[in-house]
């Protein structure tokens, strides 16, 4: 089960907010934004809906309803109905809510010390009342999870099919496989209640059997989350898992590893919602998990006042920079590209520092979503491009590990002389491997491709004159059509005057990964 759409009406601080994930919501939903933007309120809405199946606990009505606090007396209300304030649609469409629909971990959790001295029969996971009942409640489930793990070891041993060592190895081993991918610790023992040692014991480096209480806050955080999901995932097998700010006490590299391992633990038919400021979590979402992630950016505007809809952002470099700025403020330079591609065009930036080069702007627009860690930069003409890229390679490669610098040229690179496909091959064979050359004459030969123009016309309710186009564009790879913008716009049925550069930029916006033109450009460059 996955959430597809949520509407919150006068709930918490929202007037009317809709979150729409589309018809096929992804497995991981990452909510980002500054403190106080409403991320945790979404989890409170999920928690409220669980009261349909778990009718106990929680805060009073004034905690959940904005209607109690309006200054406008005509809007003010003294009652609250969660079923009117919270509307949720699920995927698949026939999915029905149940006691296991949501499993939520709050940001307020810290079990500093375990000291279990008795073990008794445990209520089922769905009957227990140890879970927090709102986003401001403490989360202290580690104690119960320790008891459940210990009970499982006793039960397996009493079944008589395995020795005590086998039972312990299986239970602890499955946890340690994951812990060791995140931290340099592993569980060495489940302790012994009879000896008043009712807690986890660990190994790290040359130390062994030291108690849970000796772990750092970050290590306790990881153990708590991983153990909780391992114990609960078999029961919560058709569930939306929610974790509020799981990065507390964790450094960036551990954050990233933690999200990757959490995703592996959660069944594919389930969903994981994360509210975070974490650089590590966001880097995992940008890199290893990008095909499974949708990002909801609460930082774009004030979503509390009026009616608003939030949809997943396009994961372009520009959007990632805005998201990282939320976490790092003016340290957005840490989001450095992994690949810089120098191309022909105006080398001087605008007054605000933004790119002026036409080719660079077009290519950044086309590839920024699929390749968010790539940056196209204009660096002058043909000879300047060679000189400046060599300087960049000699300097930047010493400063940034793993940074690739490429040189991309039009096939029109011989001062107007005809350059054939064979000439292109000769050039590439006799220059460093970081050089690239368009297969087609120049960028306009891709922008003015029939596939692009047809799509542009279709999206803009224009009629494309294909017969006239075919009569003029007889060789899209080799024909020089850079200066034929006026003719091309006429083929698109545009009768008014237009800015040629702006028109070509609009054409670039319709080029998407499933198109042949995109694949050809991608093959040339990457």
């Amino acid at each position: 089960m996955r959430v597809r759409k949520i509407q919150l009406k006068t709930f918490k601080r929202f007037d009317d907010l809709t979150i729409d994930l589309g018809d096929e919501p992804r497995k991981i939903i990452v909510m980002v934004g500054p403190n106080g933007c409403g991320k945790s309120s979404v989890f409170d809405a999920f928690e409220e809906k669980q009261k349909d199946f778990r009718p106990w606990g929680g805060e009073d009505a004034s905690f959940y309803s904005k209607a109690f606090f309006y200054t406008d007396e005509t809007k003010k209300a003294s009652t609250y109905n969660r079923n009117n304030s919270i509307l949720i649609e699920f995927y698949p469409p026939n999915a029905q809510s149940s006691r296991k629909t949501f499993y939520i971990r709050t940001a307020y959790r810290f079990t500093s010390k375990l000291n279990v001295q008795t073990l008794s029969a445990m209520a089922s996971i769905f009957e227990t009342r140890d879970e927090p009942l709102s986003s401001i409640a403490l989360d202290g489930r580690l104690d119960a999870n320790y008891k459940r793990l210990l009970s499982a070891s006793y039960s397996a041993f009493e079944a008589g099919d395995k020795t005590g060592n086998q039972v312990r190895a299986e239970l602890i081993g499955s946890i340690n496989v994951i812990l060791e991918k995140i931290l340099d610790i592993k569980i060495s023992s489940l302790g012994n209640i009879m000896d008043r040692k009712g807690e986890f014991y660990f190994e790290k480096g040359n130390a062994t059997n030291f108690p849970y209480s000796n772990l750092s806050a970050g290590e306790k955080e990881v153990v708590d989350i991983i153990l909780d999901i391992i114990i609960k995932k078999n029961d919560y097998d058709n569930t939306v898992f929610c974790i509020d700010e799981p990065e507390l006490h964790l450094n960036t590299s551990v954050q990233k590893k933690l999200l990757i391992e959490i995703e592996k633990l959660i069944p594919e038919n389930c969903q994981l919602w994360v509210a975070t400021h974490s650089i590590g979590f966001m880097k995992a979402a940008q890199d290893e998990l990008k095909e499974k992630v949708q990002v909801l950016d609460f930082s774009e505007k004030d979503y509390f006042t009026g009616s608003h809809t939030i949809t997943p952002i396009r994961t372009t470099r520009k959007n990632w920079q805005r998201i990282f700025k939320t976490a790092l403020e003016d340290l957005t330079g840490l989001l450095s590209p992994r690949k810089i591609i120098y191309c022909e065009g105006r080398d001087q930036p605008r007054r605000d520092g933004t790119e002026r080069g036409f080719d660079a702007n077009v290519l950044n627009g086309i590839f920024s979503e699929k390749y968010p860690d790539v940056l196209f930069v204009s660096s002058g003409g043909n000879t300047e491009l060679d000189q400046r890229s060599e300087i960049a390679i000699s300097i930047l490669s010493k400063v940034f590990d793993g940074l690739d610098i490429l040189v991309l040229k039009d096939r029109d690179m011989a001062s107007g002389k005809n350059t054939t496909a064979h000439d292109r091959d000769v050039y590439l064979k006799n220059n460093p491997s970081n050089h690239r050359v368009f297969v087609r004459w120049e960028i306009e030969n891709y922008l003015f491709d029939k596939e692009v123009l047809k799509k542009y016309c279709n999206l803009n309710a224009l009629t494309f004159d294909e017969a006239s186009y075919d009569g003029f564009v007889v060789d899209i790879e080799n024909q020089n059509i850079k200066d034929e913008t006026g003719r091309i716009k006429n083929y698109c049925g545009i009768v008014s005057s237009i800015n040629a550069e702006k028109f070509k930029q609009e054409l670039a916006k319709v080029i998407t990964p499933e198109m042949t033109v995109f694949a050809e450009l991608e093959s040339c460059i990457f």
Side-chain angles (χ1 to χ4, degrees):
M1 175 180 287
R2 298 182 182 183
V3 170
R4 194 194 78 76
K5 192 174 185 178
I6 311 160
Q7 187 172 16
L8 305 178
K9 297 181 178 181
T10 63
F11 182 79
K12 296 298 288 286
R13 292 164 63 191
F14 296 112
D15 284 339
D16 185 359
L17 176 72
T18 298
I19 298 175
D20 190 342
L21 300 175
D23 293 334
E24 295 186 4
R26 295 188 182 180
K27 184 179 181 181
I28 305 173
I29 309 302
V30 178
M31 295 190 292
V32 299
N35 291 324
C37 66
K39 303 187 299 294
S40 297
S41 296
V42 176
F43 291 162
D44 278 321
F46 293 161
E47 191 68 67
E48 272 286 88
K49 293 301 286 184
Q50 280 300 87
K51 290 181 182 176
D52 292 343
F53 307 97
R54 188 207 60 209
W56 66 79
E59 308 297 325
D60 62 39
S62 64
F63 177 76
Y64 297 109
S65 178
K66 186 175 184 175
F68 285 84
F69 305 103
Y70 280 124
T71 55
D72 185 344
E73 291 296 328
T74 62
K75 291 184 177 181
K76 209 164 188 176
S78 57
T79 59
Y80 159 70
N81 184 313
R82 67 172 177 269
N83 292 319
N84 292 335
S85 294
I86 306 166
L87 305 173
I88 302 178
E89 296 179 19
F90 294 100
Y91 175 87
N94 59 352
Q96 298 294 316
S97 296
S98 70
R99 176 66 176 87
K100 65 172 68 176
T101 296
F102 294 103
Y103 188 77
I104 302 169
R105 292 185 59 90
T106 76
Y108 296 90
R109 59 182 180 277
F110 191 79
T111 303
S112 60
K113 188 173 183 178
L114 275 175
N115 186 23
V116 177
Q117 296 190 17
T118 60
L119 188 64
S120 57
M122 301 286 289
S124 78
I125 285 175
F126 298 118
E127 293 172 352
T128 184
R129 297 193 180 191
D130 61 357
E131 58 195 287
L133 302 174
S134 75
S135 63
I136 61 172
L138 289 173
D139 191 332
R141 285 176 276 194
L142 183 63
D143 183 280
N145 285 334
Y146 172 76
K147 292 177 182 178
R148 290 186 187 281
L149 194 62
L150 208 58
S151 297
S153 68
Y154 288 165
S155 297
F157 179 75
E158 284 300 319
D161 298 327
K162 300 171 184 174
T163 66
N165 284 337
Q166 287 174 324
V167 170
R168 193 181 74 155
E170 286 184 10
L171 287 173
I172 297 177
S174 61
I175 301 170
N176 282 340
V177 166
I178 299 169
L179 286 181
E180 289 184 287
K181 292 179 181 178
I182 306 171
L183 303 168
D184 56 348
I185 64 169
K186 62 180 181 179
I187 299 173
S188 58
S189 169
L190 296 179
N192 188 333
I193 293 178
M194 303 303 293
D195 290 339
R196 297 186 178 276
K197 294 182 178 180
E199 63 180 309
F200 294 106
Y201 289 83
F202 293 86
E203 293 180 15
K204 181 176 182 177
N206 61 358
T208 188
N209 289 331
F210 60 88
Y212 169 84
S213 56
N214 286 21
L215 295 178
S216 71
E219 290 170 329
K220 290 174 181 175
E221 186 87 10
V222 172
V223 171
D224 189 352
I225 292 175
I226 293 300
L227 181 63
D228 192 35
I229 295 176
I230 287 176
I231 288 176
K232 306 293 172 58
K233 67 185 181 74
N234 289 335
D235 290 280
Y236 286 92
D237 56 355
N238 191 28
T239 300
V240 177
F241 290 83
C242 305
I243 308 181
D244 196 3
E245 297 185 6
E247 67 269 16
L248 299 180
H249 318 298
L250 303 179
N251 67 48
T252 301
S253 63
V254 171
Q255 293 165 1
K256 184 174 182 179
K257 295 173 186 175
L258 177 61
L259 182 59
I260 291 170
E261 294 307 315
I262 290 174
E263 186 278 325
K264 292 177 184 175
L265 285 173
I266 291 175
E268 282 301 312
N269 64 306
C270 295
Q271 194 176 44
L272 170 65
W273 284 64
V274 179
T276 183
H277 305 278
S278 160
I279 300 302
F281 270 53
M282 286 189 273
K283 284 298 290 178
Q286 184 190 38
D287 297 333
E288 288 86 350
L289 301 173
K290 64 181 180 181
E291 300 302 325
K292 298 184 177 184
V293 169
Q294 288 175 302
V295 178
L296 300 174
D297 182 8
F298 282 71
S299 69
E300 285 190 291
K301 63 177 75 171
D302 172 15
Y303 287 105
F304 294 130
T305 306
S307 297
H308 300 282
T309 297
I310 298 180
T311 58
I313 65 169
R314 291 182 63 220
T315 50
T316 62
R317 177 179 174 80
K318 183 177 180 180
N319 283 339
W320 277 118
Q321 281 188 305
R322 187 181 68 253
I323 292 169
F324 274 70
K325 187 175 182 179
T326 300
L328 296 172
E329 294 187 354
D330 61 341
L331 299 181
T332 51
L334 289 179
L335 185 64
S336 58
R338 295 181 183 175
K339 195 186 298 288
I340 296 176
I341 303 176
Y342 284 91
C343 50
E344 298 178 40
R346 301 177 69 174
D347 56 335
Q348 294 298 317
R350 295 186 179 90
R351 289 184 179 180
D352 62 1
T354 57
E355 177 65 65
R356 291 182 71 179
F358 176 73
D359 286 21
N361 276 324
V362 164
L363 294 168
N364 279 321
I366 292 172
F367 290 110
S368 62
E369 185 165 2
K370 185 169 182 180
Y371 297 94
D373 54 359
V374 172
L375 180 64
F376 291 87
V377 177
S378 290
S379 190
N382 185 23
T383 56
E384 294 168 315
L385 189 58
D386 289 334
Q387 296 166 359
R388 289 170 179 169
S389 63
E390 288 178 6
I391 294 172
I393 291 170
S394 64
I395 295 174
L396 296 180
S397 60
K398 296 177 182 178
V399 178
F400 300 105
D401 290 337
L403 174 66
D404 290 330
I405 297 177
L406 305 183
V407 179
L408 174 64
K409 295 185 177 184
D410 295 340
R411 217 183 78 212
D412 175 24
M413 59 183 175
S415 302
K417 297 177 183 177
N418 185 42
T419 309
T420 65
H422 176 70
D423 294 327
R424 172 184 181 271
D425 293 339
V426 171
Y427 174 88
L428 291 174
K429 288 178 181 177
N430 289 279
N431 276 288
S433 60
N434 68 319
H435 281 237
R436 304 287 189 272
V437 179
F438 286 138
V439 170
R440 301 188 186 187
W441 190 246
E442 48 199 337
I443 191 68
E444 282 79 6
N445 292 68
Y446 296 95
L447 299 177
F448 293 164
D449 185 279
K450 187 193 299 187
E451 180 187 29
V452 178
L453 298 175
K454 279 185 171 182
K455 185 175 179 181
Y456 171 80
C457 290
N458 183 54
L459 292 173
N460 289 278
L462 296 168
T463 301
F464 179 59
D465 186 349
E466 186 171 356
S468 296
Y469 173 89
D470 290 340
F472 175 69
V473 181
V474 295
D475 186 352
I476 192 61
E477 283 196 5
N478 302 301
Q479 191 171 344
N480 186 349
I481 54 175
K482 179 176 182 177
D483 298 324
E484 300 294 341
T485 305
R487 191 190 296 263
I488 297 298
K489 69 105 175 178
N490 289 335
Y491 296 153
C492 293
I494 301 174
V495 296
S496 58
S497 61
I498 60 171
N499 178 280
E501 186 166 311
K502 178 65 176 174
F503 174 58
K504 288 186 278 190
Q505 289 172 346
E506 290 300 307
L507 292 177
K509 291 178 182 179
V510 310
I511 299 177
T512 48
E514 76 280 0
M515 296 173 68
T516 302
V517 167
F518 184 99
E520 285 192 29
L521 278 169
E522 185 178 38
S523 177
C524 288
I525 299 167
F526 298 101

